[in-house]
Amino acid sequence: MLRRNFLKAVPPALLMPQLRSAPRLKITDVRIVNLRTVGETGKMEAAWNPGTVTTQRIGGGSVIEIHTDQGLSGIGPAIDNGALEAAKAQIAGKDPFSIEQLAGPLRYYLGQSPRTVSSLEIALWDLIGKAAGQPLYKLWGAAKDRVPAYASMIQLSTPEERARMAVELKSQGWKAIKLRAHYQTLKEDVRLVETVRKAAGADMEIMVDANQAQSFGTWQPGVMWDFQRAIETARELERLNCYWLEEPRLRYAFDELAELNRLVGIPIAGGENNRGVHEFRILLEQKVFDILQPDIMVADGVTGFREIAGLAKAYNKLVIPHHGGGNLGTVAQLHAIASWPHAPWIEILHDPPVAAYTNGFAIMENPPLVDKDGYLNLPQGPGLGVAINKDLIVS
């Protein structure tokens, strides 16, 4: 009774002093902003999608802007044109600070496209940061102000070329490289890692991704592993002192993955294509992965993404998110990772010269760049701390 009376006696503004100085905002519009492509860098075949060649571009695509009656606006990754009116219907006239009130309706009415929900929530959080005058990682906890990046390869290439790439990256300051284990045989995969380990030395971390969980079902392009190949590969990678083995079996082969995790010493990582907090709860309860890899654009919006990280901390597991799309989604993940003490790395898709990470970051005027020590330093501007390059905006 005493506590109840005390709460009645205290004005609400005193219970939330951090919000007293923030302007009261109302969302007035959601817009898609198209961006000009600066150029093309070449064609590439991703290891996990053999037979499909894509053109890599600098800049291009689009972003969204959420506008308010106070002149502030927030930016987020692209959404489909067809989702624009539905997005407006859910958030127009609302206060961007009301994230928890907006989260449910966004998932109910737009949840068939998790990317749309995530993009809107990133833009809403960018708005909140701008209204509060603080970068997001400080609003979320500020466990650190810089994060080491690992260079995530895209192509399969050859062992010799990947070894050359590892040595070049190491000379630039990168402390880790992720290789794609997609050869026809286990022997070839092991030779890839052995060659890179010999060239890069013991002081460069090597992560290995099998990409066996791309499909919802039981088929996907390229080589598919069975349980025996997964366990034999894991033991070979452990011998080579690799940091983790990623997604060595089907997305929903939870029992097999848990058994694999029990039998080997190398950490097993995964979860980039899993959706919803409930799926990650099952992964944790069944001890499927040592390292969770939710993606902010896939998992369950920013709200669900942060809830997954909280679950992982409760289970004493690491969170090292999937790359986040390569532009504003990656920057949003950088802020989240910097707020989590149990998140030691950020994944950066970086397979130069054709697929350098700077291709996607080119849409920003002031993107964070990997420094000579291999770190991304957190943007210090409010919100995401980055702005769209005005020269690329298509009027």
Side-chain angles (χ1 to χ4, degrees):
M1 182 63 70
L2 178 61
R3 176 173 171 78
R4 183 179 302 157
N5 290 338
F6 172 75
L7 291 177
K8 285 182 178 179
V10 178
L14 294 181
L15 293 175
M16 297 184 291
Q18 71 275 21
L19 300 183
R20 280 183 294 163
S21 60
R24 298 183 68 86
L25 303 177
K26 183 169 72 174
I27 296 167
T28 57
D29 199 10
V30 183
R31 302 174 190 171
I32 294 175
V33 179
N34 294 313
L35 303 174
R36 181 172 56 85
T37 299
V38 175
E40 296 181 353
T41 58
K43 297 183 182 300
M44 177 174 286
E45 180 182 284
W48 58 87
N49 198 13
T52 300
V53 177
T54 59
T55 300
Q56 303 295 308
R57 296 179 173 86
I58 302 173
S62 64
V63 297
I64 60 167
E65 293 178 341
I66 296 180
H67 292 262
T68 68
D69 61 344
Q70 297 293 320
L72 287 176
S73 62
I75 57 174
I79 65 172
D80 292 334
N81 288 331
L84 183 60
E85 292 307 315
K88 290 180 183 179
Q90 292 309 311
I91 66 174
K94 306 293 177 59
D95 182 349
F97 278 87
S98 303
I99 288 286
E100 291 294 336
Q101 295 177 37
L102 297 174
L106 284 175
R107 279 149 188 75
Y108 187 85
Y109 292 106
L110 296 163
Q112 69 277 11
S113 172
R115 181 182 180 86
T116 298
V117 174
S118 296
S119 297
L120 291 166
E121 286 196 345
I122 288 170
L124 288 169
W125 275 108
D126 186 46
L127 255 175
I128 291 169
K130 288 172 178 173
Q134 293 291 331
L136 284 182
Y137 82 102
K138 290 190 176 181
L139 293 181
W140 288 343
K144 45 192 175 279
D145 59 12
R146 63 177 192 157
V147 179
Y150 73 84
S152 185
M153 299 294 99
I154 299 172
Q155 303 174 97
L156 183 57
S157 192
T158 66
E160 291 74 22
E161 191 281 330
R162 297 288 83 168
R164 180 202 61 77
M165 176 71 74
V167 171
E168 180 179 331
L169 290 168
K170 185 177 178 181
S171 72
Q172 296 168 358
W174 295 79
K175 292 179 169 58
I177 184 172
K178 184 162 81 175
L179 305 171
R180 305 289 169 174
H182 288 265
Y183 288 108
Q184 290 295 317
T185 66
L186 165 63
K187 183 177 179 180
E188 291 173 290
D189 284 338
V190 173
R191 180 174 174 266
L192 166 69
V193 182
E194 285 177 334
T195 304
V196 172
R197 172 60 75 205
K198 182 177 179 181
D203 58 341
M204 188 173 199
E205 299 289 0
I206 298 176
M207 298 84 162
V208 177
D209 193 348
N211 291 114
Q212 294 295 298
Q214 295 297 107
S215 167
F216 275 106
T218 58
W219 183 90
Q220 62 183 50
V223 176
M224 295 189 68
W225 293 10
D226 58 15
F227 183 79
Q228 189 62 33
R229 179 157 177 178
I231 195 167
E232 289 179 9
T233 302
R235 286 170 175 161
E236 287 291 332
L237 297 183
E238 185 176 353
R239 175 179 64 84
L240 292 164
N241 195 31
C242 292
Y243 199 103
W244 72 63
L245 171 58
E246 183 173 337
E247 298 201 323
R249 283 294 287 133
L250 301 171
R251 189 185 306 178
Y252 294 107
F254 293 166
D255 291 343
E256 282 193 14
L257 286 163
E259 178 67 3
L260 173 68
N261 205 1
R262 186 183 69 82
L263 292 172
V264 301
I266 185 173
I268 304 299
E272 68 188 56
N273 289 304
N274 288 95
R275 288 182 57 182
V277 177
H278 64 288
E279 288 195 18
F280 285 88
R281 179 179 60 81
I282 295 169
L283 291 171
L284 289 164
E285 288 177 347
Q286 296 190 15
K287 300 180 180 178
V288 171
F289 296 129
D290 301 293
I291 300 168
L292 296 189
Q293 298 176 312
D295 190 305
I296 198 169
M297 303 304 299
V298 176
D300 196 11
V302 179
T303 301
F305 182 68
R306 296 176 67 217
E307 288 172 353
I308 290 163
L311 270 177
K313 188 175 182 182
Y315 278 83
N316 197 30
K317 301 295 183 182
L318 296 180
V319 177
I320 305 176
H322 188 239
H323 58 71
N327 50 54
L328 294 181
T330 303
V331 173
Q333 288 199 156
L334 176 62
H335 282 277
I337 290 167
S339 73
W340 300 332
H342 57 311
W345 294 92
I346 183 169
E347 178 178 21
I348 300 294
L349 279 178
H350 183 57
D351 200 344
V354 175
Y357 77 95
T358 49
N359 293 357
F361 278 24
I363 69 170
M364 298 171 249
E365 288 183 348
N366 51 341
L369 300 174
V370 178
D371 66 19
K372 62 181 179 59
D373 297 318
Y375 285 80
L376 283 174
N377 293 287
L378 269 294
Q380 294 303 304
L384 291 173
V386 297
I388 300 303
N389 186 339
K390 295 180 177 60
D391 292 336
L392 299 186
I393 293 176
V394 178
S395 58

